[in-house]
Amino acid sequence: EQDNWQFGSGAGFYLDASEKPWATHYRMYSYVTEELPALIAEHFPGAETARSGIFGHSMGGHGALVCAFRNPQRYKSVSAFAPIVAPSRVPWGEKALAGYLGPDWAAWRAYDAVALIEDGARVPELLVDQGAADNFLVEQLRPELLQHACAAAGIPLELRLQPGYDHSYYFISTFMADHLRWHAARLG
């Protein structure tokens, strides 16, 4: 498989890979949910790791959603910028999940926010910002799938479609303060 920005070193998809050659080192889910909090607690004794929020952008937004849905006791708040909400239903995710986890679609569900909601996972609420001019919106990101899943599950979702914004860091920087305030209000 080609190693590029969509798969391999540029795209770990925040999962614990089970397929060779990725299984040895592609353990980002465990890193984010276990190793990193332990390192923070060890090196920053004053950190209140029991009050944690998580957010990310694009693939990182997907990772934030999955980590929060799989660990609602750990993350008190979750938000995302232009997340890949249902990787098992879009080309980027299908390629990554098949490569990292193999052909068993059932194994993919553990790393798909919409599937996790369908399977009963819950968080108190979500904030998602999405650029309306994002080139990846229709084919890869599909926020409407998250919107429908949250509505069916009774999960409050604030999905903000931002006119004129694309997938860029300018988009993130424009709304970052909103997300920080949103998390602070829930972690306070």
Side-chain angles (χ1 to χ4, degrees), residues 1 7-9 11-33 62 66 70 95-104 107-108 110-111:
E1 178 62 48
F7 186 82
S9 61
F13 266 80
Y14 293 85
L15 50 74
D16 286 347
S18 58
E19 297 295 302
K20 292 181 181 181
W22 314 106
T24 303
H25 299 293
Y26 280 61
R27 318 252 342 128
M28 187 60 86
Y29 173 80
S30 289
Y31 173 73
V32 170
T33 61
H62 144 76
V66 166
R70 289 182 60 177
K95 177 181 181 177
L97 296 177
Y100 295 132
L101 301 173
D104 181 10
W108 298 11
Y111 298 103

Side-chain angles (χ1 to χ4, degrees), residues 22-88:
W22 314 106
T24 303
H25 299 293
Y26 280 61
R27 318 252 342 128
M28 187 60 86
Y29 173 80
S30 289
Y31 173 73
V32 170
T33 61
E34 297 170 21
E35 188 178 343
L36 182 58
L39 286 169
I40 291 170
E42 178 184 347
H43 294 286
F44 300 94
E48 295 181 40
T49 56
R51 292 187 318 145
S52 295
I54 189 166
F55 66 95
H57 169 244
S58 192
M59 184 193 324
H62 144 76
L65 294 175
V66 166
C67 290
F69 277 113
R70 289 182 60 177
N71 300 277
Q73 73 289 350
R74 176 169 292 144
Y75 302 105
K76 306 302 179 205
S77 60
V78 59
S79 72
F81 294 96
I84 304 167
V85 301
S88 63

